[in-house]
Amino acid sequence: MIKFTEVSKTYDGGGSYALRDVNLTVANGEFLVLLGSSGSGKSTTLKMINRLIEPSSGSVELDGKLIKNIDLVQLRRSIGYVFQGIGLFPHMTIAENIAIVPRLMGWPKVKQLARVAELLNLIGLPQNFSERLPEQLSGGQQQRVGVARALAVDPEYLLMDEPFGALDAVTRDKLQQEMLQWRTTLNKTVIFVTHDLFEALTLGDRIAIFHDGVIEQVGTRSEVLSAPATAFVKDLFAKPAKQLQEFKDLV
Ligand SMILES: Nc1ncnc2c1ncn2[C@@H]1O[C@H](COP(=O)(O)OP(=O)(O)OP(=O)(O)O)[C@@H](O)[C@H]1O
Ligand SMILES: [Mg+2]
């Protein structure tokens, strides 16, 4: 379980807040989506879980322990992280990219290679891609490798920061469907950041809606759609529905 209690983050001594009084609980096995526009605090929230960013006030707990009291190396190994943008190392092969954490952990080479093979299989890429460089893969294929890398040491938690953000609509849709399948086989706690409403509604068990560093509402798909907690949430979902209707009226 991940728990945020009254978490705030300011970079200018309280003049402005990247995050303000965030309370959030993520249950084990849950798929939580953080939804919000650019600058609303989604990445800040995600990065606090693996301590890439420290809160200015408030606390973050993992399975009942304050994360600031957990050994940093151990903490980060229990958490897989898929970066915003693609974030593969350009001069490393696909196999080397996927096996970064296993290598750091000193796994024998044979075990690393076996894990790479297993993960390529999971993400649906041919085995002979392992010796390619990232630039020799399409954007969607690179994105899949990013997911494989995050899963390499079978972490309990998976943090995904707009993993499909840079992709065309068709590839994105395909990866979303695959994500739904991966999650049933993997059974992990996933926190997934997006600014795409439809992606949030497709993937999330629950959706946390961010706006200017504040969480406006956390709820299931049907809760946020049928019982918006604030005017902001109501507008957020009303506009696309209206646009969709106008588009349908045109054809
Ligand atoms: N190192 C920093 N110094 C000052 N302000 C920062 C810093 N990092 C982030 N911020 C500010 O914190 C706010 C939240 O940023 P954050 O990266 O969490 O947004 P986001 O929701 O992930 O946006 P996006 O969808 O564009 O990735 C933004 O206003 C940003 O400018
Ligand atoms: Mg971000």
Side-chain angles (χ1 to χ4, degrees), residues 50-113:
N50 64 1
R51 290 184 61 196
L52 285 169
I53 295 180
E54 302 283 355
S56 304
S57 60
S59 65
V60 183
E61 290 165 59
L62 197 73
D63 295 328
K65 274 191 214 148
L66 289 171
I67 61 167
K68 62 178 185 198
N69 295 336
I70 302 174
D71 174 67
L72 193 59
V73 174
Q74 225 176 351
L75 175 78
R76 296 213 174 134
R77 281 178 189 166
S78 67
I79 299 172
Y81 193 89
V82 183
F83 296 83
Q84 184 166 18
I86 289 173
L88 297 180
F89 294 99
H91 304 297
M92 288 185 186
T93 64
I94 298 309
E96 286 167 346
N97 264 286
I98 294 176
I100 284 176
V101 181
R103 193 170 63 246
L104 288 173
M105 287 175 74
W107 288 20
K109 190 78 185 167
V110 185
K111 191 177 168 195
Q112 289 180 34
L113 290 175

Side-chain angles (χ1 to χ4, degrees), residues 17 32 37 40 46 77 83 128 134 143 206 226-227 242 246:
Y17 283 83
L32 178 76
S37 53
S40 59
L46 209 62
R77 281 178 189 166
F83 296 83
N128 64 10
Q143 215 77 63
R206 287 189 309 153
S226 63
K242 187 162 172 282
E246 283 170 359

